[in-house]
Amino acid sequence: MKLYDTLSGAVKPLELRSPEHVDMYVCGPTVYDHPHLGHARSSLTYDVLRRYLSWCGYEVRHVANITDIDDKIIKRANEEGRSESEVATEWEAVYKDVMAALGVLAPHDTPHATEWVAEMVAFIEELVGNDSAYVTDSGVYLRVHKVPGYCDLVHRDLADLAESAGSRVAVDETKEDPLDFALWKAAKPGEPTWPSPWGEGRPGWHIECAAMSLGLLGDGFDLHGGGDDLVFPHHTNERAEAIGAGREFARHWIHNAMLNVDGAKMAKSLGNFRTVGELLEEHPQNGRAFRLLVLQTHYRKTMEVNAELMASSRTAAARLDALARRACLTRAQVVDDLEAAGNEAADAVGAFRQAMDNDMGTPEALGVIFELVRKANASIDAGDDCSAELSMTALKLAAVLGLEVIDETPDTEIDDLVAQRQAAREAKDFALADSIRDQLAEMGVVVEDTAGGCSWHRDC
């Protein structure tokens, strides 16, 4: 598989430490508020990558941290008169619930910052010990100018970076250089603290991911991911910490782009800020529809979200369910390993792999799937022997991307009405049959009549 590598600035093969294993670290949430659509896009990007790599036969270990101590958490805790732990616990649960509703697989490891303070202190001690960091009254800082290739991830020179950083760089006259960043923050009144060789305080943001990723996955782990808004300063500074300690960091860097809502960058000031919870509440099929919308845009391109696109995605996802009903397939029947025997199905699997192996080309991969859906429906209409294989292949490839078919929940009342309508049709009482169809439509149920009988599903 080839993926764009942010550090080298090129699409290149994913070179692994071990030929059968992929170790990936993805920056997780700071848990203090509702997760928004940007969080969802990032999580879905790496969920799809993980699913695909697993389907290809790799043993994937996915680590995503939980930042449970941060300035924003402290601020909210003070405003609400609660502890930082209470705030973080509440919003972590919300985050996990909405990601599960999107079908995002839970990471294999979710290290929490507060559980890794001892390891962070030890990491910082290494940096101070080899003169890569220094101590002031306000904390411990990394000497950026001593890090070879500090700007390589962001592809800019140090002077340009310092000038453009401007207000983003904390003003502290005790620092040797404005770009030097905090590894450890000295204690402040009203904030939680931990002991350290430099006095009470708390770790900086960047050191947690360096300590956790190297601690859990080891030096030279395969893949580090996150949103492209994290390239600087977060990922640049993580990498700098590892280099400063003489450690080999991530072999490959992958970043997903952001999204626009209703044609503009999502912002509360524009009134287009959307949380995942709000999206899920608007329609019962929005979780799967949003995944499909994410897949329709290449992960490195800005994604557009609006009501029209969401409706279109719901319709497209419903085509998968309709095919499953026509082919009499349930979700359980389309999750096994794919074995395509016929030439047409095998060619589609090959095209799907080619698209995904080329920098995770999900738009092209979706094109392969929905072309198979079209061919499968045509084969069913024609009564061809290959229809079952084409249907199975289309639905299994969709499942690789996390687009699983929806099995209707049994409903005795609906089943009885459908049976009554069928009996009315057989008795040629079409007025009664139409009346029952209308009644079902009011309940949000669509009845489909085919040569093999009738079936029903809820309106998407």
Side-chain angles (χ1 to χ4, degrees):
M1 185 179 193
K2 293 182 178 180
L3 287 172
Y4 183 84
D5 173 44
T6 307
L7 183 60
S8 65
V11 175
K12 69 174 194 177
L14 183 58
E15 298 175 352
L16 306 174
R17 285 185 303 187
S18 169
E20 297 179 357
H21 300 265
V22 179
D23 292 321
M24 56 187 287
Y25 183 90
V26 180
C27 285
T30 300
V31 283
Y32 71 99
D33 206 342
H34 290 282
H36 55 66
L37 297 189
H39 296 131
R41 186 194 186 179
S42 186
S43 294
L44 283 166
T45 296
Y46 301 105
D47 179 74
V48 169
L49 178 58
R50 169 183 165 180
R51 287 172 180 270
Y52 178 67
L53 290 169
S54 296
W55 179 69
C56 288
Y58 294 102
E59 183 179 336
V60 181
R61 185 179 181 189
H62 174 198
V63 178
N65 68 304
I66 300 290
T67 299
D68 58 349
I69 186 64
D70 174 84
D71 291 343
K72 294 175 180 178
I73 296 173
I74 294 170
K75 181 176 182 292
R76 183 152 197 159
N78 288 336
E79 290 173 348
E80 297 178 354
R82 298 196 290 164
S83 69
E84 292 78 12
S85 175
E86 289 173 327
V87 169
T89 298
E90 174 190 350
W91 291 108
E92 180 182 352
V94 171
Y95 178 86
K96 289 182 176 179
D97 285 347
V98 297
M99 291 304 153
L102 290 172
V104 174
L105 299 173
H108 298 104
D109 299 278
T110 52
H112 291 60
T114 55
E115 297 170 352
W116 278 74
V117 175
E119 289 82 358
M120 294 182 222
V121 169
F123 203 123
I124 297 168
E125 284 186 289
E126 283 189 58
L127 294 168
V128 172
N130 68 17
D131 205 36
S132 293
Y134 58 94
V135 182
T136 74
D137 290 341
S138 60
V140 183
Y141 296 87
L142 191 83
R143 287 189 170 97
V144 165
H145 75 277
K146 293 196 68 172
V147 178
Y150 172 75
C151 301
D152 287 356
L153 194 62
V154 76
H155 299 286
R156 298 165 73 177
D157 62 51
L158 203 58
D160 178 49
L161 196 60
E163 182 179 352
S164 65
S167 61
R168 295 181 67 178
V169 177
V171 176
D172 185 342
E173 294 181 356
T174 67
K175 294 198 299 183
E176 296 176 356
D177 186 296
L179 277 178
D180 293 349
F181 60 89
L183 302 169
W184 186 262
K185 299 180 179 183
K188 294 180 181 179
E191 291 189 356
T193 63
W194 288 262
S196 83
W198 320 285
E200 291 285 322
R202 61 185 174 92
W205 175 32
H206 316 301
I207 194 66
E208 71 173 87
C209 285
M212 290 173 179
S213 59
L214 290 171
L216 287 170
L217 299 177
D219 286 25
F221 62 91
D222 299 307
L223 190 65
H224 194 317
D228 62 11
D229 59 328
L230 298 179
V231 175
F232 182 82
H234 185 46
H235 289 170
T236 294
N237 289 348
E238 277 185 61
R239 178 174 172 271
E241 291 162 342
I243 293 172
R247 309 282 294 274
E248 183 186 359
F249 207 44
R251 301 162 68 94
H252 202 110
W253 290 86
I254 176 173
H255 292 93
N256 63 278
M258 298 294 101
L259 55 76
N260 291 335
V261 176
D262 296 328
K265 183 178 179 180
M266 189 173 64
K268 292 181 179 179
S269 60
L270 297 177
N272 67 345
F273 185 85
R274 301 286 303 284
T275 70
V276 184
E278 290 170 342
L279 184 82
L280 294 173
E281 288 174 359
E282 288 173 0
H283 197 284
Q285 300 304 325
N286 267 0
R288 192 171 54 152
F290 187 77
R291 176 184 287 268
L292 197 148
L293 195 60
V294 168
L295 293 167
Q296 288 174 336
T297 304
H298 190 266
Y299 75 92
R300 289 195 286 121
K301 293 183 179 181
T302 301
M303 172 184 164
E304 174 66 26
V305 183
N306 59 46
E308 183 179 354
L309 288 172
M310 284 298 299
S312 177
S313 288
R314 289 195 297 270
T315 299
R319 290 179 62 195
L320 299 173
D321 299 334
L323 177 60
R325 289 192 299 271
R326 295 196 72 194
C328 299
L329 295 170
T330 65
R331 178 185 296 190
Q333 293 171 304
V334 296
V335 296
D336 298 328
D337 292 336
L338 187 61
E339 295 291 344
N343 289 336
E344 200 164 20
D347 288 347
V349 173
F352 176 85
R353 284 184 180 274
Q354 184 176 14
M356 291 298 291
D357 285 345
N358 183 21
D359 197 22
M360 200 159 55
T362 57
E364 295 78 14
L366 278 180
V368 172
I369 290 169
F370 281 99
E371 177 61 13
L372 268 179
V373 170
R374 185 192 67 78
K375 289 180 177 180
N377 278 314
S379 294
I380 292 172
D381 291 339
D384 294 340
D385 292 339
C386 66
S387 62
E389 183 178 70
L390 292 176
S391 300
M392 183 71 80
T393 303
L395 297 174
K396 283 186 174 180
L397 289 178
V400 171
L401 303 180
L403 289 171
E404 297 180 337
V405 297
I406 294 178
D407 298 331
E408 289 295 350
T409 305
D411 190 303
T412 303
E413 180 184 5
I414 295 174
D415 288 339
D416 287 346
L417 286 170
V418 170
Q420 291 173 32
R421 177 180 174 276
Q422 183 63 18
R425 281 167 53 85
E426 292 171 356
K428 300 189 182 305
D429 188 348
F430 298 114
L432 177 58
D434 289 345
S435 174
I436 296 174
R437 178 189 281 274
D438 292 341
Q439 183 181 349
L440 288 164
E442 290 177 3
M443 298 167 64
V445 175
V446 176
V447 179
E448 294 179 342
D449 296 309
T450 67
C454 67
S455 62
W456 65 268
H457 64 91
R458 290 178 174 83
D459 190 3
C460 294

